[in-house]
Amino acid sequence: MKSIYRHATRMFASSLAALILLTGCATTNTATNTAEQPGPAASPAAITLLTPKAPSLIPAVYMEKTEADGTFQIAKWDSIEQLLAGIQGNEAPLYAAPINVGANLYAKGMPIQLLHVNTYGSMYLISLDPNVRELSQLSNETVYIPGQSGPPDILTQHLLAKKGLQGKVNLAYGVIPDIMQQLAAGTIKHAVLPEPVLSGLRMKTQGKVSEVVDFQKEWQAEFGQDLPQTAVFVNRDWAKTHAADIARFEQSYQEAVRQVNQQAGETLKIAAEEFGMPEAVLTSALPKITLLYKDAQTAKPEVERYLGVLLQIAPDSIGGSVPDADFYYGS
């Protein structure tokens, strides 16, 4: 289990702001299920999604707000220990997590399957130097990355190798709060950051941020696919007897993604409270976040490509192998 903790923690500190946002971690909400009341008028137990404070939380907030009779609820996790406890203790049947974390847990024997992918890309290599517009201009410069051997690091290494810049750009590592503080102070100039924390930096620096690399666009140019980052996973044992509940959840989540992309409205205000950040930051970040629903079977080729790249550079980041077909719900 130590390898799960090590690699998942790296990921959480860096990918899609899974653990740390502008104002730091908020108090953890423990996952609980609504108790059924006796009698014919009792409501069914709520389906709980255990989720980090990442972009995938935004559609979930919309669902919790609009679903009738409290049939869906959110509980948040802030550490790998909480996620593992939620899975092992059957505290929730559904879990949102970075894809490589799900692959790692699956490799360790956790009873999970990928249900759908909902967040793509949403990660950028940025510079405070207005003259830096291309990766080649960072030769002999230092780029700061949140978490060594996590997806931001691996994807940056992959891109540098592709561009013939491996060994020519220096990579340094830290955690998001420290990197953000140094960027705001101007003591470092280049970094890889996810949304929505990047939009917070834009506000702090009054827009003095240049986007050098949009990882989603680079991935699309190289592979002709979207870059999958975050998914919802389902407890495999629970799934065997709750096909109708899963179908309802999937339909609702897909609709929530559509609604958030078209007109976020009041949802962003509630989501900002859940994130613990100003609503203006989340509003600014939303156009830079690729929320896109794809069910497990549709997303499978993209996920396999992505995990294959991670496997080549840092095998331990996904548990040592690309998951087999049973990793995908509906196989």
Side-chain angles (χ1 to χ4, degrees):
M1 284 294 178
K2 289 182 179 179
S3 64
I4 299 179
Y5 296 156
R6 182 172 64 253
H7 296 292
T9 300
R10 289 171 180 164
M11 176 60 201
F12 301 151
S14 57
S15 174
L16 307 175
L19 286 181
I20 304 173
L21 300 175
L22 271 176
T23 56
C25 292
T27 302
T28 303
N29 291 341
T30 302
T32 56
N33 285 334
T34 303
E36 291 189 32
Q37 301 298 321
S43 298
I47 298 173
T48 301
L49 172 68
L50 194 56
T51 175
K53 287 172 283 185
S56 58
L57 174 62
I58 303 173
V61 166
Y62 178 89
M63 287 178 64
E64 187 178 52
K65 175 175 173 285
T66 58
E67 284 278 305
D69 302 322
T71 53
F72 171 75
Q73 65 183 18
I74 298 168
K76 295 188 293 294
W77 60 264
D78 291 320
S79 71
I80 183 62
E81 290 83 0
Q82 290 172 338
L83 177 60
L84 285 169
I87 296 172
Q88 294 173 326
N90 295 318
E91 295 176 6
L94 302 168
Y95 328 96
I99 290 170
N100 77 301
V101 172
N104 207 322
L105 294 174
Y106 179 81
K108 304 304 179 184
M110 292 289 106
I112 65 171
Q113 289 181 304
L114 189 150
L115 196 56
H116 72 249
V117 178
N118 53 57
T119 310
Y120 289 81
S122 308
M123 184 167 60
Y124 300 84
L125 192 157
I126 60 94
S127 176
L128 299 183
D129 184 342
N131 296 314
V132 175
R133 296 291 179 179
E134 296 181 0
L135 203 57
S136 60
Q137 294 175 281
L138 292 175
S139 184
N140 298 318
E141 294 285 315
T142 299
V143 175
Y144 287 78
I145 299 177
Q148 189 171 8
S149 299
D153 181 25
I154 297 168
L155 293 172
T156 301
Q157 290 189 49
H158 172 78
L159 187 58
L160 290 173
K162 174 190 166 188
K163 302 286 187 180
L165 294 170
Q166 199 167 32
K168 297 180 181 179
V169 177
N170 302 314
L171 302 180
Y173 303 95
V175 294
I176 285 179
D178 291 345
I179 293 173
M180 292 280 286
Q181 185 176 11
Q182 292 183 75
L183 286 166
T187 55
I188 65 175
K189 295 186 294 183
H190 321 292
V192 174
L193 288 174
E195 288 288 6
V197 293
L198 178 53
S199 287
L201 178 66
R202 288 193 187 95
M203 288 192 173
K204 281 190 174 183
T205 61
Q206 297 181 331
K208 297 176 182 178
V209 174
S210 298
E211 291 178 6
V212 182
V213 174
D214 179 337
F215 283 89
Q216 164 81 337
K217 290 182 179 178
E218 289 289 340
W219 193 266
Q220 288 173 328
E222 182 176 1
F223 297 117
Q225 296 176 329
D226 293 312
L227 173 59
Q229 290 290 282
T230 304
V232 167
F233 300 87
V234 62
N235 183 294
R236 183 177 59 236
D237 298 329
W238 182 86
K240 291 176 182 177
T241 56
H242 291 81
D245 289 326
I246 292 173
R248 178 167 58 86
F249 171 81
E250 290 290 88
Q251 183 178 5
S252 295
Y253 197 99
Q254 185 176 11
E255 174 62 15
V257 168
R258 189 182 70 83
Q259 290 289 345
V260 168
N261 283 329
Q262 290 185 356
Q263 188 175 1
E266 186 71 12
T267 299
L268 282 190
K269 180 179 180 179
I270 300 171
E273 293 173 359
E274 296 282 354
F275 274 95
M277 62 165 46
E279 182 182 353
V281 172
L282 201 54
T283 300
S284 176
L286 191 59
K288 296 289 186 178
I289 296 171
T290 306
L291 287 171
L292 181 62
Y293 172 93
K294 295 185 185 181
D295 66 55
Q297 295 304 312
T298 302
K300 182 179 178 181
E302 296 171 340
V303 173
E304 288 181 331
R305 172 83 70 179
Y306 170 63
L307 294 178
V309 169
L310 300 190
L311 178 68
Q312 291 176 3
I313 298 175
D316 286 349
S317 68
I318 64 168
S321 63
V322 174
D324 59 22
D326 194 47
F327 179 62
Y328 303 90
Y329 179 78
S331 295

